[in-house]
Amino acid sequence: MKNIPSHKTGINIGEVLPNLFCFDSDEKNVNLLPDENYILIFVSNYCVYCIDLLPEVEKIKDVSKKHKLILFSTGDDEDNIEMKKYFNWKFPIIHLTEEEMEKYFKVVKQPFCIITYKNKVKQKGVIYNQKDFIAMFNLA
């Protein structure tokens, strides 16, 4: 992890998400659409805090039915498919390296979350569990 304060990482509040064309672990096309609201979670498979967060992700998704959740993981497709099966997740999991997380989303710390409204960043920060997410979500 880079030595950057967590509030300085991630796309700035008010900025638009990048226009990315991605495939999830099921090889389905995933686009970040301008009229959608998203919960974007970034995890590394080599981060203990990220691994601890994984069982909480489904509960995070349930906080808002108006937001689509997308998980960005450093795991390869095989790892991501295993996680999806194990947790019975229905949302997309997209493989990004830590370098790609930084390049496209300016995320240099994990686990990290970005909450959007109409494709603009409303809130962002490091989260360790559902409680952290709810506190951040209530500020958005």
Side-chain angles (χ1 to χ4, degrees):
M1 260 193 251
K2 296 187 178 184
N3 193 16
I4 297 173
S6 61
H7 68 279
K8 299 255 185 187
T9 190
I11 298 171
N12 291 326
I13 292 175
E15 287 186 20
V16 175
L17 290 177
N19 186 12
L20 286 182
F21 178 81
C22 306
F23 289 96
D24 72 1
S25 56
D26 294 328
E27 298 186 14
K28 293 179 185 166
N29 181 22
V30 178
N31 291 321
L32 298 175
L33 302 171
D35 292 337
E36 294 289 342
N37 303 324
Y38 294 101
I39 298 167
L40 307 176
I41 298 178
F42 300 83
V43 296
S44 167
N45 286 26
Y46 305 104
C47 161
V48 173
Y49 298 115
C50 299
I51 303 303
D52 289 345
L53 176 67
L54 295 178
E56 305 253 336
V57 173
E58 189 70 32
K59 292 188 262 180
I60 288 169
K61 182 184 83 55
D62 293 340
V63 170
S64 173
K65 302 295 183 197
K66 295 180 181 181
H67 288 72
K68 291 185 177 182
L69 188 136
I70 300 174
L71 182 73
F72 293 94
S73 163
T74 61
D76 60 23
D77 284 339
E78 188 176 314
D79 292 334
N80 292 339
I81 289 168
E82 251 337 280
M83 275 194 301
K84 196 169 192 170
K85 284 180 184 175
Y86 181 81
F87 291 109
N88 196 29
W89 290 336
K90 304 293 183 215
F91 51 82
I93 304 174
I94 297 171
H95 166 76
L96 285 183
T97 64
E98 288 185 17
E99 292 78 18
E100 290 168 328
M101 289 179 187
E102 182 176 5
K103 178 180 177 182
Y104 299 119
F105 295 97
K106 300 180 185 169
V107 170
V108 296
K109 292 189 182 246
Q110 293 89 21
F112 198 81
C113 180
I114 295 175
I115 300 171
T116 73
Y117 178 74
K118 300 284 186 194
N119 215 32
K120 288 188 178 176
V121 175
K122 292 297 284 180
Q123 196 55 265
K124 63 178 184 167
V126 172
I127 61 169
Y128 298 108
N129 52 45
Q130 182 194 27
K131 184 178 175 185
D132 290 348
F133 173 78
I134 289 171
M136 186 172 77
F137 188 79
N138 289 335
L139 294 174

